[in-house]
Amino acid sequence: MAVRRVRRNSEPRGWAFGLGVAIVRPALLATTRPHWIDGHKIPASGGCLVVLNHVSHVDPLTAAHLLWDHGRIPRYLAKSGLFRNRALGAFLRSAGQIPVERMSRNALGAYDAAVAAVRAGECVVVYPEGTITRDPGSWPMTGKTGAARIALETGCPVVPVGQWGAHELLAPYATKPDLFPRKTITMKVGDPVDLSDLVAREHTAAAVTEATTRIMDAITALVAEVRGEEPPATRFDPRAAGVAPIGNPRKFPDKKGRR
């Protein structure tokens, strides 16, 4: 598995990221087997978006492992609630993470910060689904428009990644990980999503929707390759199914009272 080193001073990193690498990476190597496919497709430098499917709360750690192994320091759009804890908030800010208030007008601030980070040459990671997938088979569900909006505004490369295995390490909304035996974490990196025609024209709601669809199609195709299975013909839509769009579905039942 070919990797490349993070270039010194190539991207800003605070004390928290260095501490996280020193602690988290050895822990991941002890409990997982990383299987990176086509990681060379991650840009070695320059602003970019990396977009992935979301199957576990441990996803950001395994994605960071992939990017670190290929010479990039990730910045995430993280839910704002994590920043309310003083210690955790300080850690996340030092690590360069961007707080986002989901389903709120205040999410615009996260969008502006992400656009600025991309324009500054940084690697921004986005989970377009916005939360762990609600699809019964854990396939990518419908995406939110944040990644598309950032991509259309900046014209940066949008690099899709299909990943599988993190849910075996930490099941969705589980409180304890299953550490042994070691779990294989597979991530396949795809070619940048072609949005050039959409970048060049007015960024209407239709253009944003089309960009979101292309991004989710690319991710889903990669997940299908990794899983060796055919995805559902229709992507799962939580809103149409009456499922709570965020939060633990076991705690927040859908509109019909089911959990």
Side-chain angles (χ1 to χ4, degrees), residues 6-240:
V6 173
R7 293 181 300 161
R8 182 172 296 180
N9 298 326
S10 62
E11 292 177 88
R13 49 176 165 167
W15 60 267
F17 201 92
L19 179 63
V21 170
I23 296 174
V24 175
R25 190 167 185 270
L28 286 174
L29 289 173
T31 56
T32 67
R33 294 184 180 89
H35 183 204
W36 309 150
I37 304 171
D38 294 336
H40 65 278
K41 293 182 178 180
I42 298 170
S45 62
C48 64
L49 278 182
V50 174
V51 291
L52 307 91
N53 58 306
H54 203 354
V55 295
S56 168
H57 280 133
V58 79
D59 286 350
L61 299 181
T62 53
H65 192 183
L66 168 75
L67 292 168
W68 178 264
D69 276 357
H70 291 88
R72 299 307 302 260
I73 295 176
R75 290 192 68 181
Y76 291 92
L77 271 68
K79 61 183 181 181
S80 60
L82 297 174
F83 291 78
R84 295 191 184 107
N85 178 286
R86 181 175 297 180
L88 180 58
F91 183 91
L92 292 173
R93 289 187 181 89
S94 175
Q97 308 318 311
I98 302 168
V100 55
E101 295 186 32
R102 297 180 296 180
M103 302 181 69
S104 165
R105 292 182 180 179
N106 294 332
L108 181 61
Y111 164 82
D112 290 340
V115 167
V118 169
R119 286 178 170 162
E122 297 184 60
C123 175
V124 175
V125 179
V126 179
Y127 292 92
E129 296 162 280
T131 191
I132 293 174
T133 181
R134 265 67 169 140
D135 181 85
S138 296
W139 288 97
M141 59 180 183
T142 54
K144 295 185 171 21
T145 61
R149 293 179 185 279
I150 297 166
L152 296 183
E153 178 65 24
T154 62
C156 71
V158 180
V159 182
V161 178
Q163 58 110 3
W164 194 243
H167 60 296
E168 296 179 354
L169 179 63
L170 182 67
Y173 303 102
T175 56
K176 294 181 180 179
D178 182 6
L179 300 178
F180 303 103
R182 293 167 69 194
K183 309 300 186 292
T184 298
I185 308 296
T186 302
M187 294 198 182
K188 181 174 176 63
V189 184
D191 295 319
V193 181
D194 185 4
L195 303 175
S196 56
D197 59 317
L198 301 176
V199 171
R201 72 189 204 204
E202 184 181 358
H203 302 160
T204 62
V208 171
T209 298
E210 173 61 21
T212 301
T213 298
R214 292 185 195 179
I215 289 170
M216 293 310 303
D217 284 349
I219 294 172
T220 302
L222 292 167
V223 174
E225 289 187 53
V226 168
R227 292 177 59 167
E229 303 173 34
E230 284 295 318
T234 302
R235 195 167 290 128
F236 184 80
D237 184 346
R239 180 173 297 180

